[in-house]
Amino acid sequence: MDTSNLFLSFFYCCFLLSSGYICIQGSPLNHHHHHHRRQKHEISDEGAMPTKLFVFGDSYADTGNIRKSLGNSWNEPYGTTFPGKPAGRFSDGRILTDYLAKFLGVKSPLAYEWMELGGKKLQNGLNFAYGGSGVFNTLGDLLPNMSTQIGFFDKLMHDSVYTKWDLKSSVVLVCLSGNDYGAFLAQGGTMQDLEKFIPRVVKQLGANLKRLQEMGATKVAVTSLQPLGCLPRSTVDSSFQRCNTTQNEAVAYHNLLLQQALAELNNKTSTFFLIDLYTSFTTVLNQRRDYQGNFRFQTPLKPCCAGIDGYFCGGVDEKGTKMYTVCSDPKSAFFWDSSHPTEAGWHAVYTTFKSSLQQVFKSF
């Protein structure tokens, strides 16, 4: 694999944190009560359905853990579609976590940072994902890496907030969206070293997954890396017309190693299953028209919310002036900002892997 100019510019700008913006991440989605009974039946006609969802990872799954000083996800216009104001999700609305919860027929789990306000909400599970985090430290110790996130959960089990049975009767979502690579390059890692670093990232992810299994997890959904070369921060160079194939080749290497790691972990069990975000994203981005012949996303690589003059979506200058533009209809855009999908984008992605989830759950 040629790593001579591998996504250096992409990851460098990805980790510019001066405006308080964290890169490549996602968040959860909300539950609609009227789906409850139908979806339970849809997943399985027999056996106990999962009762909780536990989540580990980064901004593609974070529903409000990232502190307000570190993430633009607490600034307007984030959250305008759902819940109607900024609430920590890196989108205009619901994210991956929310849609997986909807599929399971459970409410989207509370963010760990807010658990003291939770009360009965804790019975839906808990979300430990932090925007900007990775399997290794990405911003010093400002963000809990995945091992630390799992440690938070381990302590709650030790303190009997949750039991091993809770974990056995739950689904775990593990989402890794590329921040380790951004941090590696921003901290002086070279292109030549990156090819050696990718296996280290996947190896650590595998160790985290094994730990969850040893703690009692029996159903663990793991996301593949999305096509980083198709994120608006990469496609801006082509006026949002083309994905960066060099970056996507690096992603393919990560995803190949991840599939091998999951096969090895599943050698004696079938605990782990892949949510293939790479295929889901590319399927939606390439599918210009929906089943009624309408354009689903007219300009799929262009973000709805874009910063101006070096600012990010949600940024304001020292006078409080908005330094970003927002499209008139987020439903018409796949991407919300420079790296995260809109609620409509996440919903489209969800529809591509929903049937494979149904197949997976028939076997549990």
Side-chain angles (χ1 to χ4, degrees):
M1 178 181 133
D2 176 21
T3 55
S4 55
N5 62 349
L6 200 60
F7 48 163
L8 178 60
S9 59
F10 160 73
F11 275 134
Y12 228 87
C13 71
C14 168
F15 237 74
L16 283 174
L17 297 163
S18 54
S19 337
Y21 181 84
I22 302 272
C23 173
I24 311 194
Q25 319 266 340
S27 319
L29 319 138
N30 215 57
H31 171 63
H32 297 296
H33 290 280
H34 60 272
H35 288 297
H36 211 137
R37 186 170 298 161
R38 182 182 64 79
Q39 282 171 331
K40 283 202 168 189
H41 177 76
E42 190 174 72
I43 296 168
S44 175
D45 293 323
E46 56 189 44
M49 271 306 299
T51 57
K52 296 176 178 61
L53 176 61
F54 294 103
V55 182
F56 303 92
D58 53 31
S59 65
Y60 271 26
D62 181 1
T63 46
N65 281 314
I66 186 79
R67 72 178 73 159
K68 296 183 180 182
S69 61
L70 288 176
N72 275 15
S73 55
W74 290 100
N75 298 350
E76 293 181 350
Y78 287 81
T80 49
T81 301
F82 175 86
K85 62 181 181 180
R89 283 172 171 81
F90 287 78
S91 181
D92 65 306
R94 297 169 178 85
I95 59 167
L96 177 62
T97 304
D98 302 301
Y99 283 105
L100 183 57
K102 175 183 172 182
F103 172 82
L104 297 171
V106 301
K107 290 185 178 178
S108 202
L110 187 70
Y112 170 72
E113 289 283 344
W114 302 91
M115 69 173 288
E116 288 180 12
L117 308 174
K120 285 186 176 178
K121 289 182 180 176
L122 296 181
Q123 67 194 27
N124 303 316
L126 213 53
N127 186 336
F128 299 88
Y130 285 76
S133 66
V135 293
F136 300 121
N137 284 348
T138 51
L139 270 181
D141 55 6
L142 283 175
L143 295 170
N145 65 33
M146 194 178 289
S147 300
T148 304
Q149 294 173 24
I150 296 170
F152 293 156
F153 184 40
D154 203 10
K155 185 175 188 308
L156 292 179
M157 290 182 70
H158 185 265
D159 294 344
S160 300
V161 176
Y162 294 108
T163 65
K164 204 153 188 170
W165 172 249
D166 285 324
L167 192 49
K168 280 186 186 300
S169 59
S170 302
V171 170
V172 177
L173 170 64
V174 176
C175 182
L176 196 68
S177 307
N179 295 300
D180 290 287
Y181 302 126
F184 176 75
L185 294 170
Q187 291 161 9
T190 66
M191 289 304 100
Q192 290 75 16
D193 294 333
L194 188 64
E195 193 169 359
K196 296 174 188 169
F197 184 59
I198 291 174
R200 286 182 53 205
V201 170
V202 176
K203 184 178 179 182
Q204 181 58 45
L205 176 56
N208 290 335
L209 296 174
K210 190 172 185 194
R211 182 180 175 193
L212 287 167
Q213 186 179 34
E214 288 166 351
M215 287 167 64
T218 58
K219 294 175 279 292
V220 183
V222 185
T223 60
S224 69
L225 205 54
Q226 76 279 22
L228 299 177
C230 297
L231 302 185
R233 61 173 68 252
S234 296
T235 63
V236 64
D237 294 336
S238 66
S239 301
F240 309 111
Q241 296 299 309
R242 289 186 309 279
C243 297
N244 183 310
T245 53
T246 311
Q247 292 170 23
N248 286 345
E249 283 168 10
V251 172
Y253 181 45
H254 170 103
N255 287 340
L256 175 66
L257 296 180
L258 175 59
Q259 286 179 311
Q260 292 170 350
L262 294 184
E264 199 172 316
L265 286 165
N266 278 335
N267 192 21
K268 292 175 182 152
T269 67
S270 56
T271 300
F272 303 96
F273 55 96
L274 188 72
I275 293 181
D276 188 352
L277 290 188
Y278 190 95
T279 299
S280 293
F281 272 54
T282 52
T283 298
V284 174
L285 291 172
N286 291 332
Q287 185 183 342
R288 294 301 175 92
R289 296 176 185 270
D290 64 18
Y291 63 94
Q292 294 174 319
N294 303 315
F295 277 106
R296 181 180 259 185
F297 300 112
Q298 196 102 30
T299 51
L301 300 179
K302 187 177 180 181
C304 173
C305 182
I308 52 178
D309 293 340
Y311 284 82
F312 291 109
C313 173
V316 294
D317 67 14
E318 58 278 0
K319 296 176 184 172
T321 306
K322 294 177 181 178
M323 300 301 289
Y324 57 88
T325 58
V326 189
C327 65
S328 57
D329 180 18
K331 290 188 184 66
S332 68
F334 178 80
F335 283 109
W336 169 244
D337 59 16
S338 59
S339 51
H340 305 96
T342 57
E343 175 174 304
W346 274 122
H347 183 263
V349 165
Y350 166 65
T351 60
T352 68
F353 66 72
K354 181 178 174 185
S355 61
S356 63
L357 278 184
Q358 289 166 343
Q359 292 303 314
V360 164
F361 278 88
K362 281 178 186 172
S363 66
F364 278 110

